[in-house]
Structures are given as C-alpha cells and as structure tokens.
C-alpha cells in the first residue's frame, strides 16, 4: 500500500473517531437530582420517625439547702408513693424548735382572738367603768388645779421670780467686779473677795431659780394633769361607744392580724423543716441514688432520680416541620424498638410539643405517644421507629 493511500485511511479513521465521540457526548443522559430526604419521611402508608422510650414522669430530686445526710430511706429499684420521704438531712433540732415556737404563738393568737370575741359584753362593761373613772379623774385634776391656781399662789410665784431677777442683778454686779480685778495675782485679797462675792451671788441665783421652777412646775403639772384627764376621758368615751356594738374594731383587727402572722410563721417554720426531707413529688420508681448517710449535700445537687415507669411513652427525635402538620392528638401509631424488631407495639399520640428544636439544620418537633400495651422487656431510653397511621 502506497503512502498516499495510507494517509487517506488514517484521515478517515480520525473522522470516524470524532463522530463516535460526538455521538457519546450528545447521547449522555442528564443526571437526575437526588431528592433531599428529611429526618422523618413520608410514605404512602404513613409518616415514619425515630424516637426514644421515656417514662410518664421523671425528675432529678434535689435539696434546696445544704446539710449532712442522716438517712437514705430508699434503694434503687424501689417503688415509692407521692409524698414519701426518700432522704432526710440531720441537724433538725433548730428547725423543730422553731416550728414548736411558731405553733405555740399561733395557739396563743387564736386564744386571744377567741377571748376577745367571747368577752365582748364584759369589755363593754369595763369600758363604761373606765368612762366613770376617767370622769372622776378629771374632776380630781380640775379640783387640784383650782386649789393651786389662786391669787395667793400667783403672788408667791411672782415673789419667787423677783428673787430670781434680784439674784441675776447681783451676779451681774459681782461679775463686773471680778472682771475689774482679773489682772491681779490670783492670791490677791481684793481679787479673792470679788470672786467669793461672785460665787455667793451665783449660789443665791441657783437657789432662787430652783424655787421658782418648783413653784411654776407644780402649777404646770396641775394644768397638764387636767389636760391628760380630759384626753383620757375622751378616749374612754370613744372606747365605750365602740364596745357597745361588740369587740373593739381595732382590737379585733389586731388580733386577727396577729393570728395571720402566727399562721404565716408556722407555715415558714414547717417549710424550713420540710426542706430537710426529700420527698417524692409523684409515685414512681427510684432509678438512681447518688448519696449515702453521712455525706454532705449542697443546694441543687442531684440526689435521687425518680421515674414513673408504670406507663411508658415514646417521644420522637426527628419529626420535621413538614410532617408534624399532618399529625394530630389521638392519632394511632405503630412502634418497633430496635432491640425488639419482631414486636410491633400500639400507641396513641397524646401531645404535640409547641416548642421546636433544631437538628442538622432542620426544625424538629417532639410528639409524645402513649404505648397501650408495652412489652415488659422495653426499657427507658431504647430507640424505636414510629409509624404514624394515616
């Protein structure tokens, strides 16, 4: 074969190769997009989601106060009733004494209120007697003032004041004489006579002032006694008017307020004592105990894990927002635990959470399903598949 023929065959081969390559490119199918699959999935026979087995109720129980554990009254796995004491702290004497004192104060306050209501008639009679006594006291005080506040007594008071003013003048003169000789030697006879004269004048002034004050105070006390007796009579009459219709309103209000305060103190003391006991808030099973007698606990420290395992539930963990709208309370569901694939359990939607969470960027809602007849092998925390029936 000559060279020219060879080159022609080679060119034809290249053309065929290009044509075949072009056909492969043109005939290559467009890739089909892979559909995005959400956490839960919808199928013709219902929505499927994952979940976990949970008890009806569960809670870590804590003390609100610190203290030393005196008694642990339960064991793990033990069934307890609501209100049952699980753990008790020691050093209770002070709290018990405070409660006893508060209960005594409440009893006394109750007795005072009862006595006040029971003795209303007696109180009225006593109030009337108090009025009579106040009237007599006013008469006596007024008579005492009349006996004292006379012209003769006023003359005596005036003379006493004259003695005071005279003594003041003598002190003034003596002081001027002392000032005149103050530059003399302290032992100078003239200076000493002047100082002695001043001292005597001051003594006479103090004596005259005391006598005047005594006479004046006696008169003022008599006047004050009259004013006090008048005020006491007005108060006695006011009290009597109030007692005519039963217990004194102010006394009754005070007694009732004291009783309320005493009851509040009892409640506070009882709460303080109760804080030393850890009680079950609901009936359930003790799942875990984290303390022992003699150990110290701090406020808010997890002490006992309690769960109501009598009724088991399933809570979904990946139900998306697009699927939750198709689920309603009362809807039936089938549950298969990963650990028990051969068992299909029945359940009913009891609650759909109003609060959302996020998982892998998706909006997730929790649906709570009550199991109607759970398998006894089912355990808290087991993973399950939930199929919601349409």
């Amino acid at each position: 074969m000559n060279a020219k023929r060879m080159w022609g065959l080679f060119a034809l081969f290249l053309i065929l190769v290009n044509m075949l390559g072009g056909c492969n490119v043109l005939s290559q199918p467009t890739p089909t997009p892979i559909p995005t699959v959400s956490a839960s999935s919808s199928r013709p026979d219902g929505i499927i989601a994952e979940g976990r087995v949970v008890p009806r109720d569960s809670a870590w129980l804590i003390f609100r106060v610190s203290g030393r554990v005196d008694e642990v009254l339960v064991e793990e796995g033990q069934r307890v009733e609501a209100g049952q004491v699980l753990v008790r702290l020691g050093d209770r004497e002070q709290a018990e004494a405070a409660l006893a004192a508060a209960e005594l104060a409440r009893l006394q306050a109750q007795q005072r209120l009862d006595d006040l209501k029971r003795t209303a008639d007696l109180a009225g009679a006593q109030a009337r007697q108090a009025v009579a006594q106040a009237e007599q006291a006013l008469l006596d005080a007024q008579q005492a003032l009349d006996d004292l506040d006379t012209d003769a007594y006023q003359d005596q008071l005036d003379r006493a004041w004259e003695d005071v003013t005279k003594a003041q003048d003598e002190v003034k003169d003596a002081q001027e004489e002392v000032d005149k000789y103050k530059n003399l030697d302290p032992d100078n006879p003239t200076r000493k006579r002047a100082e002695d004269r001043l001292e005597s004048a001051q003594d006479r002034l103090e004596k005259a002032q005391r006598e005047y004050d005594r006479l004046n105070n006696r008169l003022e006390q008599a006047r004050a006694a009259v004013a006090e007796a008048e005020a006491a009579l007005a108060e006695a009459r006011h009290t009597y008017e109030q007692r005519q219709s039963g217990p004194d309103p102010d006394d009754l209000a005070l007694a009732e307020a004291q009783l309320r305060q005493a009851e509040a103190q009892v409640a506070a003391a009882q709460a303080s004592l109760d804080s030393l006991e850890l009680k079950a808030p609901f009936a359930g099973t003790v799942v875990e105990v984290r303390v022992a007698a003699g150990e110290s606990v701090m406020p808010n420290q997890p002490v006992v894990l309690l769960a109501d395992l009598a009724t088991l539930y399933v809570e979904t963990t990946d139900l998306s927002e697009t699927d939750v709208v198709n689920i309603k309370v009362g809807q039936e569901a089938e549950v298969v635990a990963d650990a028990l694939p051969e068992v299909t359990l029945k359940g009913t939607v009891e609650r759909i959470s109003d609060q959302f969470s996020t998982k892998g960027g998706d909006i997730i809602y929790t649906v709570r399903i009550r199991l109607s007849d759970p398998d006894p092998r089912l355990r808290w925390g087991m993973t399950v598949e939930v199929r919601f029936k349409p």
Side-chain angles (χ1 to χ4, degrees), residues 316-329:
T316 61
T317 57
D318 65 348
L319 193 64
S320 70
E321 58 184 314
T322 57
D323 285 333
V324 76
V325 296
N326 297 314
I327 296 175
K328 61 183 180 296
V329 173

Side-chain angles (χ1 to χ4, degrees), residues 182-259:
K182 65 181 179 180
N183 292 327
L184 296 178
D185 187 89
D187 294 330
N188 184 278
T190 302
R191 176 176 176 177
K192 288 183 65 65
R193 283 194 299 272
E195 291 174 346
D196 292 342
R197 180 188 173 195
L198 175 60
E199 183 176 353
S200 297
Q202 289 173 338
D203 290 342
R204 287 191 294 274
L205 175 59
E206 290 178 0
K207 182 179 179 180
Q209 186 69 55
R210 283 197 300 270
E211 178 63 15
Y212 174 78
D213 290 343
R214 183 185 68 81
L215 295 172
N216 188 60
N217 287 342
R218 184 182 176 189
L219 181 58
E220 290 300 322
Q221 287 177 3
R223 291 170 176 167
V226 171
E228 181 179 359
E230 291 174 342
L233 177 58
E235 181 63 24
R237 287 172 175 170
H238 175 69
T239 300
Y240 175 67
E241 291 174 0
Q242 290 182 325
R243 298 290 171 85
Q244 292 295 82
S245 58
D248 176 75
D250 293 336
D251 291 342
L252 182 61
L254 177 60
E256 291 173 342
Q258 289 174 336
L259 178 58

Side-chain angles (χ1 to χ4, degrees), residues 8-312:
L9 292 173
F10 183 73
L12 180 60
F13 175 77
L14 291 178
I15 292 171
L16 290 174
V17 170
N18 288 332
M19 290 178 64
L20 291 173
C23 290
N24 288 338
V25 172
L26 294 175
S27 63
Q28 184 175 357
T30 303
T32 302
I34 300 175
T36 301
V37 180
S38 62
S40 60
S41 60
S42 298
R43 298 182 183 179
D45 54 351
I47 299 172
I48 297 177
E50 293 183 354
R52 286 189 180 277
V53 177
V54 297
R56 178 175 182 175
D57 292 300
S58 65
W60 272 107
L61 308 184
I62 62 174
F63 282 103
R64 297 297 182 184
V65 297
S66 60
R68 178 184 54 81
V69 176
D70 186 49
E71 294 179 283
V72 178
L73 304 174
V74 292
E75 299 177 349
E76 293 182 359
Q78 180 178 338
R79 174 76 181 177
V80 297
E81 299 301 323
Q84 183 175 337
V85 179
L86 310 180
V87 182
R88 182 177 288 123
L89 298 182
D91 301 327
R92 302 165 53 87
E93 293 80 6
Q94 184 175 358
E96 291 172 346
L99 177 59
E103 289 175 339
L104 176 60
R106 178 178 61 182
L107 177 61
Q108 292 173 337
Q110 184 66 61
Q111 289 177 343
R112 284 194 295 270
L113 180 59
D114 294 342
D115 291 344
L116 182 63
K117 294 178 179 179
R118 187 181 64 254
T119 59
D121 293 339
L122 176 61
Q126 291 173 339
R128 180 68 188 92
Q129 184 180 9
V131 170
Q133 291 174 345
E135 289 173 343
Q136 185 60 49
L138 177 58
L139 291 173
D140 294 342
Q142 187 64 58
Q143 184 62 52
L145 177 60
D146 293 342
D147 292 343
L148 187 63
D149 192 10
T150 62
D151 293 339
Y153 194 85
Q154 186 62 48
D155 291 341
Q156 186 179 359
L157 191 61
D158 292 341
R159 288 193 299 271
W161 181 247
E162 289 176 358
D163 293 340
V164 170
T165 56
K166 180 179 178 182
Q168 289 174 340
D169 292 338
E170 292 177 355
V171 169
K172 180 180 178 182
D173 294 341
Q175 182 65 53
E176 291 176 352
E177 186 174 358
V178 167
D179 292 341
K180 184 174 18 177
Y181 300 120
K182 65 181 179 180
N183 292 327
L184 296 178
D185 187 89
D187 294 330
N188 184 278
T190 302
R191 176 176 176 177
K192 288 183 65 65
R193 283 194 299 272
E195 291 174 346
D196 292 342
R197 180 188 173 195
L198 175 60
E199 183 176 353
S200 297
Q202 289 173 338
D203 290 342
R204 287 191 294 274
L205 175 59
E206 290 178 0
K207 182 179 179 180
Q209 186 69 55
R210 283 197 300 270
E211 178 63 15
Y212 174 78
D213 290 343
R214 183 185 68 81
L215 295 172
N216 188 60
N217 287 342
R218 184 182 176 189
L219 181 58
E220 290 300 322
Q221 287 177 3
R223 291 170 176 167
V226 171
E228 181 179 359
E230 291 174 342
L233 177 58
E235 181 63 24
R237 287 172 175 170
H238 175 69
T239 300
Y240 175 67
E241 291 174 0
Q242 290 182 325
R243 298 290 171 85
Q244 292 295 82
S245 58
D248 176 75
D250 293 336
D251 291 342
L252 182 61
L254 177 60
E256 291 173 342
Q258 289 174 336
L259 178 58
R260 289 193 299 270
Q261 181 184 19
E263 290 172 342
Q265 290 174 342
V266 169
Q270 184 65 61
S272 179
L273 183 60
D274 290 343
S275 68
L276 301 178
E277 293 182 339
L278 192 64
K279 297 180 180 180
F282 52 84
T285 301
V286 176
V287 179
E288 185 177 350
V289 179
R290 288 191 176 181
V291 294
E295 294 182 352
S296 296
V297 296
M298 299 298 293
N300 301 322
Q301 174 185 335
V303 174
V304 173
L305 177 58
L306 181 67
D308 181 0
L309 302 174
T311 305
L312 293 180

Side-chain angles (χ1 to χ4, degrees), residues 374-390:
D375 191 286
R377 294 171 294 175
L378 212 56
R379 293 292 181 269
W380 182 6
M382 284 186 173
T383 56
V384 298
E385 181 183 82
V386 183
R387 186 187 303 274
F388 295 94
K389 290 187 176 183

